[in-house]
Amino acid sequence: TPTTTMTMATRALSHAARTATSRAGTRGFSVLTATEEFPGLPSTSPAPKKGSASSVTTLPSGLTIVTEDASLVSTLSLTYPNAGSSNEGPSEAGAAIANRYLSFKSGSGLSSALILRSLEDVGASVWSSAGRRGMTVGFTAARENAAFVAPLLVTECSFEKWDVKEAQDLAGVEAGEATSNAQVALTDQIYAAAYGGQSAIGRSYYTPGANRSSIMSFRERAYTLNGAVLAATGIADHEAFVRMVDVEFPAPAPGTEAAAPLVSEYLGGEARLSAPSTGYAHVALAFQGPTSIPVTNVLKHCLSLSGASAYASSGIIGVYGGSAPGDALATVDALSTSVGAAPSADIVEKAKAAAKAEALMALDGGSKSLADAMTASVLHSCGFSATALAESYDSVSADDVSKAYAAMLKSKVSLAAVGDISDVPYHATIASRFN
């Protein structure tokens, strides 16, 4: 009957369902993981990010290579520490600034257009900088392209007449712009006061008018790999990078020695540049600074915490300020007072923390800022690591700062004044306050 047939069908379906369920419980199914089914899917449990690791190698050529491996982009910077204006010879004034503009120009059988096109093809942004102490040329590019175009940093300039003419013109333009900048003028005057206006370091870096022969002689003497530093960020394989540099960078001629740094004696004098039309007086005081960079930076922050605008450079440290011409004497009094008061232990601790933070923040300021910090560390201590950098500031004691402060005041004070300076007292008056 229909009812009996339906009942039997229902029982058969139930039995089939129970059998299938039983088999499913004992049967092993193959299951694809998310990464197998969707290749390239980011891990939901990524490995912890590694800290930056740095390595330093000095080649037989005398070139020091320092790399780190964590940056997402690569900056390569090549620094010639003795290619600044302080190493210009008597007949080479202006050669340093002119040579800066010969970066990436024709050389090694390549034209300027081809050199720049090769760098642009890999998305590299190029730059160069120079000053009293050294010159740096470099670029920033993707990590995978940096090593490929690295040899373009060391093309041997062929001094094509159009390249030299352009460099001379650009140096003249930069020097002209610098003359209208009060801060640049004050910096030039403080170096002239500290070292003498006729010395190489006391002479302004912004000196136009170098001729072709002086530009060539300066470059051939100062732009040598012996003593230079190549800093590279974002380099995963230090050893492979070193091998590339050793093969691709030109070897110096036999017997080539590093350019000797010019030794400048700190004198402690006065330099004044009168420009009444500015309607403002700019004043700076300087002293001979410590040789230790961490101690120098801590001492600079001690002066800043005393209420003054402080500055420090290799060999000198001091304070500066500005005012209306009639208030110039009060400004000098305030600067003298800020320098004359020895920092307390509390001020030293605050200055240490500020100096350390400033140094470590430079490591996180981008790929180029990191390369600059790496270069500075190698030139100062022949090595680099963030840990060592932090420890160098931690190790500065209150006694170290006290001794550096006392030595600073024992050196002769230097005075620089720019602008409407008729009311700025002369050097002898100010020097008597520190005797």
Side-chain angles (χ1 to χ4, degrees):
T1 63
T3 301
T4 303
T5 302
M6 182 170 291
T7 301
M8 294 177 63
T10 300
R11 289 175 179 174
L13 288 172
S14 299
H15 176 73
R18 285 194 301 272
T19 302
T21 301
S22 175
R23 289 176 179 174
T26 59
R27 180 180 176 184
F29 285 94
S30 175
V31 179
L32 293 176
T33 65
T35 53
E36 290 173 332
E37 188 170 1
F38 303 102
L41 188 70
S43 173
T44 56
S45 301
K49 183 179 179 180
K50 297 189 304 178
S52 173
S54 59
S55 303
V56 180
T57 299
T58 300
L59 297 178
S61 64
L63 174 66
T64 298
I65 303 171
V66 54
T67 68
E68 69 83 43
D69 60 1
S71 293
L72 298 180
V73 296
S74 285
T75 290
L76 269 63
S77 67
L78 179 61
T79 298
Y80 299 97
N82 299 316
S85 62
S86 64
N87 273 75
E88 292 174 342
S91 62
E92 294 175 336
I97 188 173
N99 267 291
R100 177 206 161 187
Y101 288 105
L102 286 175
S103 303
F104 302 111
K105 295 300 183 183
S106 303
S108 301
L110 305 174
S111 68
S112 301
L114 181 58
I115 292 172
L116 291 174
R117 179 62 181 271
S118 300
L119 289 161
E120 290 172 357
D121 282 348
V122 298
S125 57
V126 302
W127 44 267
S128 64
S129 61
R132 281 181 170 81
R133 301 181 183 276
M135 183 274 174
T136 300
V137 60
F139 63 81
T140 299
R143 290 171 57 129
E144 62 271 19
N145 297 326
F148 176 69
V149 292
L152 295 178
L153 290 174
V154 289
T155 52
E156 298 180 6
C157 185
S158 57
F159 301 101
E160 303 296 342
K161 59 182 181 180
W162 49 87
D163 287 334
V164 174
K165 179 64 167 60
E166 182 182 30
Q168 291 171 321
D169 292 344
L170 290 173
V173 170
E174 185 179 359
E177 292 174 347
T179 58
S180 61
N181 187 313
Q183 294 298 321
V184 171
L186 188 63
T187 300
D188 282 346
Q189 294 304 305
I190 200 63
Y191 272 96
Y195 297 100
Q198 299 306 311
S199 66
I201 193 170
R203 188 172 56 231
S204 176
Y205 161 74
Y206 300 99
T207 303
N211 58 41
R212 178 187 177 87
S213 61
S214 66
I215 292 172
M216 292 177 64
S217 66
F218 179 79
R219 192 177 190 91
E220 290 167 359
R221 176 171 52 83
Y223 283 63
T224 172
L225 292 181
N226 192 353
V229 176
L230 176 63
T233 65
I235 302 300
D237 190 336
H238 174 79
E239 296 301 328
F241 184 78
V242 168
R243 288 194 297 271
M244 180 279 297
V245 172
D246 196 23
V247 171
E248 298 293 341
F249 280 39
T256 301
E257 297 182 358
L262 195 66
V263 179
S264 301
E265 181 184 0
Y266 179 84
L267 301 175
E270 177 178 18
R272 303 167 74 95
L273 179 61
S274 179
S277 62
T278 61
Y280 206 77
H282 301 270
V283 182
L285 303 180
F287 300 83
Q288 189 170 17
T291 56
S292 166
I293 290 179
V295 174
T296 298
N297 289 336
V298 171
L299 190 55
K300 180 190 74 172
H301 281 278
C302 285
L303 295 175
S304 295
L305 290 171
S306 70
S309 297
Y311 65 92
S313 184
S314 178
I316 60 173
I317 186 170
V319 293
Y320 67 95
S323 67
D327 296 327
L329 179 57
T331 298
V332 173
D333 289 341
L335 294 177
S336 301
T337 301
S338 67
V339 174
S344 64
D346 183 53
I347 290 294
V348 170
E349 286 305 310
K350 291 180 180 179
K352 279 181 59 177
K356 178 181 176 180
E358 182 180 59
L360 293 178
M361 285 179 66
L363 305 185
D364 290 328
S367 182
K368 184 177 182 297
S369 178
L370 176 57
D372 291 342
M374 291 161 62
T375 299
S377 180
V378 168
L379 289 174
H380 180 251
S381 63
C382 301
F384 170 76
S385 76
T387 301
L389 181 64
E391 290 175 349
S392 69
Y393 284 90
D394 291 336
S395 64
V396 175
S397 66
D399 187 55
D400 292 333
V401 176
S402 178
K403 290 178 179 178
Y405 176 79
M408 178 190 78
L409 290 186
K410 285 182 180 179
S411 68
K412 296 179 180 179
V413 63
S414 298
L415 166 67
V418 173
D420 190 344
I421 55 177
S422 57
D423 289 337
V424 176
Y426 283 87
H427 181 264
T429 302
I430 298 173
S432 64
R433 303 178 183 183
F434 299 101
N435 291 338

